[in-house]
Amino acid sequence: MALPQALRREGIYITSILRTLHRLRHVAPDSTETITDIVEGFARRTPHAPAVLHEDEIVSYAALDTAANRYANWAIAQGIAKGDCVSLLMENRPEYLMAWLGLLKIGAIAALINTNLRGAPLAHSLNIANAEHVILGAELGDAYAEVASTLEGLPTAWATGGTGPGAKDLDAALAAVSANPPGPSIRKGLTCKDKAFYIFTSGTTGLPKAANITHLRLLFMMYGFAGGLNSKPGDRIYCPLPLYHSSGGICAVGIALTAGGSIVLRRRFSAHEFWDDCFRYKPNFFQYIGELCRYLLNAPPHAHERDHNLRIIVGNGLRPEIWPAFQARFAIPRIIEFYGATEGNVSMLNYDGHVGAVGRVPDYMRWRFKFRIIRFDVEKESPVRRSNGFCIECVDDEAGEALGQIENDPGQTFDGYTRAEDTNKKILRDVFTKGDAWFRTGDLMRRDAHGYFYFVDRIGDTFRWKGENVATSEVAEALGIIPGILEANVYGVAVPGMDGRAGMAALVAGPGFDAAILAGKLAGNLPHYARPVFLRLTPQMEITGTFKQRKVDLVQEGFDPARIIDPLFVFDAASGRYIALDRDRYNDIVSGRMKL
């Protein structure tokens, strides 16, 4: 049995890589062809083919390109030129794609602003974009108005889809300009090395940073996913992910628009309406974030949950403990988990659906995909170096930090952020040879003997307790398979007088959850040092706009009942059970009277 499985694995991998490289064959730093040229080509060849579906609206390739022309001509009329930036603050709808396609037509840069931001983080993002104009969805007019007076440079706001406080009428301005394509001279000299987007980090550990996305990186990501899924004209991808982020706004869009297919946009994800949408629009693909899969799996049965056309779902963060159950319940033929950072040069796809893996680089492809895992000291939060100063590559199944070598090769560049100091923090030098440079992912991973990579944890999330490293993701997986636990967010908290950090888990519990028997269930799945010391029952998990769990506030609040209204529990070694954590027990812990 092992040989046929190995042959199948290698066959899928080699076929997928060759297919992707074929699509990338014309992409080069000095090329002048961008995504706008690709869309214009489909608008000429298949003008009536659907490009975007949204609610009851169907936008053909011709209509998409015509609308993008109006945005381009509007921008020209405002004096916006090649290299200038325009901020885009709008929820998912066809106009979002029209806007940035139009800006790219004239060589401008679109800053894709996170629509969930409010107050200081929103103002910060708009300020570092340094744009003179903001394209504003009317639904976000109030959020923008709240920070407008604090913005540097006083950008001009243009509202579409309605009016916005202090904003000009963009819809009227678009109607007044030509729908003809701008002349080719308008972006003379533009190549794939030039910037296309600013995409912002989630800001989970501070204010967001703006990553530089060149036309080259844009096409590499788009073609990479289109090749991995082998998308074709007529295919449809369902995208409920925000278009301001690379997963929805580049990967999902690219699967459709580089192949002449369609993207099905939804304003926001809804577990209740997901299968109705799949039945209605009949997508072949679905771009997921792992938490969306968990929401669907926790939802009650739906009449259309197996009555769909989904051929492949692609995304990241699908936890191993729910992967097989999700795939079986909803009859998903193929799952392609991937790994990649918006700004980084480490990206891979798990083409053959090996459960739990985020990608694969077999030994015979290490020369092409220069991703390495180096030994990392979790306590010091720094790479381990030999006496000669160089880093140590991990052996099979050893966890360490994943790096990607920075080279001039199109797939290995690192374009950094708008601020040089942010860029330099992500580069590790003199790793294996003097003068080499590597992109730091900030993620702990491991690689097995077959070349599969597995995500272990974010650096800073893994902590030491009782002299051992505890990976929060592994503890969350163990908790996730226990009946009654719908979601788990694991982190470490400081305990006065004790070394390291004690494990704590915030849990969303449902029917069947019983804290009294939880310790016994965990005993068979986790070593003693990895079992959470503290529990916090919360009605819902705090997440970012891209469905990542927030931990910063949870860590800061710790296990103090005076700061937390949620029910708290602590593991009692004497009884072997979790017991209620009240003020008296908290005082016993911090004074050292109660041993953990």
Side-chain angles (χ1 to χ4, degrees):
M1 287 297 290
L3 183 59
Q5 289 177 353
L7 291 174
R8 176 184 177 275
R9 178 181 64 220
E10 300 306 330
I12 292 173
Y13 182 84
I14 293 171
T15 300
S16 300
I17 290 293
L18 291 176
R19 191 166 56 219
T20 301
L21 293 176
H22 177 74
R23 298 197 187 204
L24 286 167
R25 66 192 184 282
H26 298 310
V27 180
D30 295 326
S31 172
T32 59
E33 183 181 65
T34 69
I35 183 61
T36 62
D37 298 293
I38 295 169
V39 172
E40 287 170 1
F42 285 120
R44 289 191 303 269
R45 296 190 300 273
T46 56
H48 303 298
V52 187
L53 292 85
H54 174 67
E55 297 178 350
D56 294 326
E57 184 179 8
I58 300 176
V59 180
S60 68
Y61 271 91
L64 177 63
D65 189 52
T66 297
N69 288 338
R70 289 190 182 277
Y71 273 94
N73 291 319
W74 162 82
I76 293 169
Q78 309 314 311
I80 299 166
K82 176 180 175 289
D84 291 340
C85 177
V86 177
S87 292
L88 179 55
L89 180 61
M90 183 191 302
E91 293 185 345
N92 285 13
R93 58 174 182 268
E95 288 78 10
Y96 197 102
L97 303 181
M98 297 167 183
W100 67 246
L101 275 169
L103 293 172
L104 268 53
K105 277 176 179 279
I106 66 168
I109 303 165
L112 312 184
I113 308 296
N114 184 330
T115 57
N116 294 285
L117 298 181
R118 298 293 184 272
L122 175 58
H124 169 81
S125 297
L126 291 164
N127 283 332
I128 62 176
N130 195 29
E132 293 186 3
H133 297 270
V134 178
I135 296 175
L136 179 65
E139 69 279 3
L140 296 169
D142 290 341
Y144 180 81
E146 289 173 4
V147 301
S149 63
T150 68
L151 299 181
E152 301 166 4
L154 296 176
T156 303
W158 298 80
T160 178
T163 59
K168 295 186 176 183
D169 188 341
L170 179 58
D171 295 329
L174 290 171
V177 298
S178 170
N180 294 325
S185 63
I186 198 70
R187 65 174 190 261
K188 184 178 180 180
L190 181 82
T191 68
C192 280
K193 289 183 290 189
D194 290 303
K195 296 175 188 176
F197 292 153
Y198 294 141
I199 292 185
F200 295 78
T201 60
S202 61
T204 53
T205 57
L207 290 171
K209 299 188 292 289
N212 299 319
I213 306 297
T214 64
H215 289 274
L216 182 71
R217 179 152 183 80
L218 185 65
L219 289 179
F220 254 79
M221 294 173 72
M222 287 181 162
Y223 276 129
F225 278 78
L229 274 66
N230 195 26
S231 58
K232 300 179 177 65
D235 280 338
R236 293 181 176 185
I237 179 160
Y238 182 81
C239 178
L241 303 179
L243 292 176
Y244 63 74
H245 193 264
S246 55
S247 289
I250 296 180
C251 302
V253 170
I255 289 167
L257 297 189
T258 61
S262 310
I263 183 163
V264 180
L265 288 181
R266 184 177 176 89
R267 188 72 62 92
R268 296 183 187 87
F269 173 78
S270 167
H272 176 69
E273 298 179 29
F274 177 84
W275 295 113
D276 287 326
D277 282 349
C278 287
F279 183 77
R280 176 185 180 185
Y281 296 109
K282 295 180 170 46
N284 311 101
F285 310 126
F286 161 46
Q287 181 96 22
Y288 68 81
I289 294 291
E291 286 306 293
L292 304 189
C293 299
R294 184 181 294 279
Y295 298 156
L296 291 170
L297 193 60
N298 287 339
H302 191 284
H304 298 309
E305 67 180 35
R306 296 174 68 88
D307 182 17
H308 56 74
N309 286 19
L310 290 175
R311 190 164 76 241
I312 303 174
I313 69 169
V314 59
N316 62 349
L318 180 55
R319 286 181 168 170
E321 76 270 18
I322 70 165
W323 185 322
F326 180 87
Q327 189 166 18
R329 173 177 165 181
F330 301 121
I332 307 295
R334 190 175 172 198
I335 295 175
I336 298 181
E337 178 84 359
F338 78 90
Y339 175 85
T342 297
E343 70 277 31
N345 64 358
V346 179
S347 59
M348 62 189 93
L349 280 79
N350 177 4
Y351 296 109
D352 64 317
H354 186 73
V355 173
V358 299
R360 182 169 180 255
V361 180
D363 287 339
Y364 58 81
M365 290 302 290
R366 277 166 58 91
W367 67 273
R368 178 64 180 82
F369 301 108
K370 298 179 181 179
F371 314 145
R372 304 292 184 265
I373 300 176
I374 60 167
R375 195 164 293 170
F376 190 84
D377 188 320
V378 171
E379 202 161 21
K380 296 179 180 178
E381 292 196 356
S382 63
V384 176
R385 292 185 181 264
R386 302 180 191 273
S387 58
N388 62 9
F390 295 128
C391 296
I392 305 166
E393 185 171 2
C394 291
V395 299
D396 290 346
D397 293 315
E398 180 185 7
E401 184 177 6
L403 309 177
Q405 188 165 15
I406 300 171
E407 295 180 327
N408 289 328
D409 180 277
Q412 294 297 132
T413 58
F414 171 47
D415 300 308
Y417 306 94
T418 54
R419 296 183 176 181
E421 60 268 30
D422 293 330
T423 300
N424 292 331
K425 289 177 183 177
K426 295 293 286 186
I427 299 175
L428 189 65
R429 302 184 187 277
D430 302 331
V431 175
F432 298 118
T433 60
K434 194 68 178 175
D436 65 0
W438 296 71
F439 171 76
R440 300 190 64 177
T441 64
D443 288 330
L444 298 176
M445 302 178 71
R446 63 180 178 85
R447 178 182 182 269
D448 70 13
H450 299 293
Y452 289 104
F453 282 71
Y454 302 85
F455 177 81
V456 175
D457 220 354
R458 287 290 296 169
I459 287 175
D461 286 351
T462 287
F463 56 88
R464 286 182 70 79
W465 180 246
K466 304 294 186 181
E468 301 284 352
N469 292 342
V470 180
T472 61
S473 62
E474 294 179 3
V475 180
E477 289 170 15
L479 287 164
I481 62 175
I482 293 175
I485 296 180
L486 303 180
E487 293 182 68
N489 191 354
V490 180
Y491 47 99
V493 293
V495 180
M498 301 201 70
D499 293 330
R501 287 187 287 159
M504 186 165 183
L507 305 177
V508 177
F513 175 76
D514 186 349
I517 64 172
L518 179 60
K521 291 184 176 294
L522 287 175
N525 296 317
L526 290 173
H528 66 90
Y529 59 83
R531 298 167 206 159
V533 176
F534 303 105
L535 302 178
R536 173 177 179 169
L537 302 188
T538 185
Q540 63 181 22
M541 209 66 74
E542 186 77 14
I543 59 172
T544 69
T546 51
F547 304 97
K548 296 177 182 176
Q549 293 177 335
R550 293 189 185 276
K551 297 192 182 190
V552 175
D553 292 342
L554 294 173
V555 172
Q556 290 176 345
E557 291 171 356
F559 57 98
D560 185 353
R563 302 181 63 187
I564 301 168
I565 61 172
D566 296 333
L568 296 173
F569 297 84
V570 61
F571 178 71
D572 176 44
S575 64
R577 299 159 67 92
Y578 286 101
I579 58 176
L581 174 57
D582 55 20
R583 191 67 192 173
D584 290 338
R585 285 200 176 99
Y586 173 81
N587 290 332
D588 287 342
I589 292 169
V590 298
S591 66
R593 292 191 298 271
M594 180 176 177
K595 302 300 181 183
L596 301 180

